[in-house]
Amino acid sequence: MDPADHPPLRLQPLDDTDRSQVERLLQTPRLRRRVLFSGLHQLHPIDWSPQRRTFVIREGDEIVGTVELRQEEDEPETWELSVVIEQRERVLDGARCALAGLFFAFEVMDAEAVWFWAPRENRPVRRVAEKLGFVKLHPLLVPGGKPADVFELERRTWQTHTIPHLAAYLGAPVEITDNTTLWRGESQGFFAVEPGDRSR
């Protein structure tokens, strides 16, 4: 099926009415954040606050995951990005959602840097990160988990390297809103969409 035949993925702020459904989704075995000890899993925190922005990913009316930005306490211009999404029929849906999160961090929240961690064995995520200009910083010790690495993207690299590569990942559109403004990401980039204008 052509990607254009699907409704665009939309990221919108976590709402109290979504909370129980999102928590159930994030507790499914494949989407659990990480194992702390045998039988004990880290709860994936969700919130919409100045320091933590949890976006719910919707496809039509269905919630399929989350994108989260968490502000660093000691470096408030730096944000951690995490993407949790169900298995998708379309490839690159996770990358599209990550790009929407990066757009929001750099262009709306004025971030200077965004970082994430990924298990060392997750080669697809690492390949996408390298293509988007992320730099591997250092290994991360994940309790009860497999070896992982930290990757970071700086604002300058987002502007000079990542933005020109958006077309490779936005063959199918993705939308993100803060409930005030709606932006649509397409191969040409992210654009604010005027109310009632869905032609883009």
Side-chain angles (χ1 to χ4, degrees):
M1 183 179 283
D2 190 304
D5 295 335
H6 289 266
L9 294 174
R10 175 178 282 200
L11 283 64
Q12 56 192 102
L14 175 74
D15 185 274
D16 283 342
T17 60
D18 300 326
R19 188 173 292 274
S20 61
Q21 186 178 349
V22 170
E23 287 173 348
R24 281 196 304 274
L25 176 67
L26 295 177
Q27 287 307 305
T28 57
R30 198 188 72 77
L31 298 182
R32 287 180 181 148
R33 186 168 171 84
R34 58 191 179 189
V35 177
L36 298 179
F37 304 101
S38 178
L40 178 64
H41 293 84
Q42 181 188 49
L43 296 177
H44 192 110
I46 56 174
D47 195 14
W48 186 263
S49 68
Q51 290 76 37
R52 185 182 295 275
R53 302 299 176 102
T54 301
F55 290 92
V56 174
I57 306 169
R58 293 185 186 275
E59 185 172 41
D61 293 328
E62 181 185 4
I63 294 176
V64 297
T66 63
V67 169
E68 186 163 78
L69 292 165
R70 183 185 64 82
Q71 189 177 39
E72 292 293 312
E73 290 183 14
D74 54 345
E75 294 182 52
E77 70 283 356
T78 299
W79 294 74
E80 178 188 4
L81 171 72
S82 67
V83 178
V84 180
I85 189 168
E86 289 183 322
Q87 292 282 58
R88 309 299 300 146
E89 177 183 330
R90 296 179 297 188
V91 297
L92 299 181
D93 273 358
R96 290 182 188 97
C97 291
L99 281 170
L102 289 171
F103 163 80
F104 194 85
F106 286 116
E107 304 297 341
V108 180
M109 304 297 294
D110 293 324
E112 288 299 324
V114 176
W115 69 275
F116 76 95
W117 64 267
R120 202 162 289 164
E121 65 181 16
N122 195 331
R123 294 176 189 268
V125 168
R126 297 166 71 88
R127 279 197 299 270
V128 169
E130 290 168 6
K131 288 179 181 177
L132 293 178
F134 279 86
V135 174
K136 185 172 81 169
L137 294 184
H138 54 76
L140 178 70
L141 295 176
V142 181
K146 298 180 179 178
D149 291 306
V150 171
F151 296 83
E152 185 179 73
L153 182 68
E154 294 184 343
R155 169 182 284 278
R156 179 171 173 76
T157 307
W158 160 258
Q159 294 169 337
T160 61
H161 178 87
T162 312
I163 289 176
H165 285 81
L166 292 179
Y169 298 96
L170 295 177
V174 61
E175 297 177 346
I176 185 167
T177 181
D178 58 3
N179 287 339
T180 300
T181 304
L182 172 68
W183 297 270
R184 185 173 173 97
E186 299 179 342
S187 56
Q188 300 90 350
F190 283 85
F191 306 91
V193 178
E194 295 298 324
D197 178 13
R198 304 307 300 254
S199 59
R200 272 205 163 277

